[in-house]
Amino acid sequence: DIQMTQSPSSLSASIGDRVTITCRASQSISRSLNWYQQRPGKAPRLLIYTASSLESGVPSRFSGSGSGTEFTLTITSLQPEDCATYYCQQSARTPQTFGQGTKVEI
Amino acid sequence: EVQLVQSGAEVKKPGESLTISCQGSGYSFTSYYITWVRQMPGKGLEWMGRIDPTDSHASYSPSFQGHVTISADKSINTAYLQWSSLKASDTAMYYCARRTAGVKSLDYWGQGTQVTVSS
């Protein structure tokens, strides 16, 4: 299985801050990387697909970058509703493994 | 409107069997795979497996192979996740999600089904 490692596991930031989350794959996955947001008590929501494509309806303050084994999710100006756990997922190989999650607190 | 509606919460005893469901609407059910994802209490997301509703071919994570069965009935736009003998460690929230064909992301999710296994 491809292992996905996120850092940090949690972070605390202020409204308006720029936040960056890193996801590393145990082997190259090209750009087959997706990002999800999960608010407390809710189902996950797709934010970014193929490393940098913004899903329809997702605010433009969210962006993704990277390829190969290293990827980042950036929130340019943190908002109260961004309090959530963020997961990366590789879709290059089955099983399509998730990272362990990064909890963002405000 | 695309929707995935999952069956309700279940409370079972160890050793019992269980099937939970996920019904799709608002799109062509056979055009997208359905993926099942586990979330144990306070933990992260785990990819369990996926099914092609066209031919009911399923693929599983090695972590779940042999312990669960994924199936589908395209005539009623429904996918299933089945256990023949539950364990306490199966206590979790289970989500179904629609997998896009090209980029293989999970673009629509069900609301989740809570499964509690306790003696």
Side-chain angles (χ1 to χ4, degrees):
Chain A
D1 299 2
I2 297 176
Q3 306 302 315
M4 307 300 293
T5 304
Q6 291 181 231
S7 60
S9 295
S10 65
L11 66 90
S12 182
S14 300
I15 302 301
D17 280 356
R18 179 186 183 94
V19 169
T20 299
I21 298 168
T22 298
C23 177
R24 289 185 174 86
S26 61
Q27 64 187 81
S28 178
I29 56 170
S30 186
R31 294 178 59 80
S32 299
L33 193 283
N34 309 307
W35 289 97
Y36 302 88
Q37 176 195 63
Q38 187 178 31
R39 293 176 173 139
K42 300 294 187 183
R45 169 198 183 193
L46 177 65
L47 297 177
I48 302 282
Y49 59 94
T50 55
S52 61
S53 296
L54 194 67
E55 174 71 352
S56 176
V58 174
S60 59
R61 63 180 180 273
F62 290 92
S63 64
S65 64
S67 66
T69 62
E70 187 153 338
F71 302 86
T72 59
L73 173 70
T74 300
I75 310 172
T76 53
S77 179
L78 195 66
Q79 299 301 304
E81 60 267 31
D82 300 336
C83 176
T85 301
Y86 294 84
Y87 295 92
C88 62
Q89 181 215 17
Q90 65 82 15
S91 53
R93 301 276 188 277
T94 297
Q96 295 177 348
T97 41
F98 291 90
Q100 81 278 16
T102 296
K103 187 174 183 178
V104 175
E105 297 175 309
I106 298 172
Chain B
E1 179 193 8
V2 173
Q3 282 192 309
L4 294 173
V5 178
Q6 297 186 228
S7 51
E10 301 275 1
V11 179
K12 292 288 189 179
K13 294 184 181 337
E16 292 187 331
S17 62
L18 174 66
T19 299
I20 63 175
S21 65
C22 168
Q23 185 172 41
S25 62
Y27 72 99
S28 173
F29 189 68
T30 53
S31 296
Y32 298 83
Y33 291 0
I34 293 292
T35 294
W36 286 96
V37 175
R38 183 175 80 174
Q39 188 166 39
M40 299 179 76
K43 302 298 184 182
L45 305 175
E46 299 175 90
W47 191 94
M48 301 177 69
R50 59 85 175 152
I51 190 163
D52 179 351
T54 301
D55 59 7
S56 289
H57 175 71
S59 293
Y60 298 88
S61 166
S63 300
F64 295 92
Q65 179 91 46
H67 187 56
V68 298
T69 301
I70 297 171
S71 60
D73 184 344
K74 61 185 179 182
S75 69
I76 55 171
N77 293 352
T78 301
Y80 303 96
L81 181 64
Q82 178 182 0
W83 294 261
S84 58
S85 181
L86 286 160
K87 304 176 182 178
S89 57
D90 292 318
T91 294
M93 180 72 80
Y94 293 88
Y95 293 101
C96 65
R98 187 182 84 162
R99 196 195 85 167
T100 59
V103 302
K104 303 179 186 178
S105 59
L106 303 175
D107 62 347
Y108 285 90
W109 293 66
Q111 82 277 19
T113 296
Q114 177 64 47
V115 173
T116 303
V117 184
S118 174
S119 55

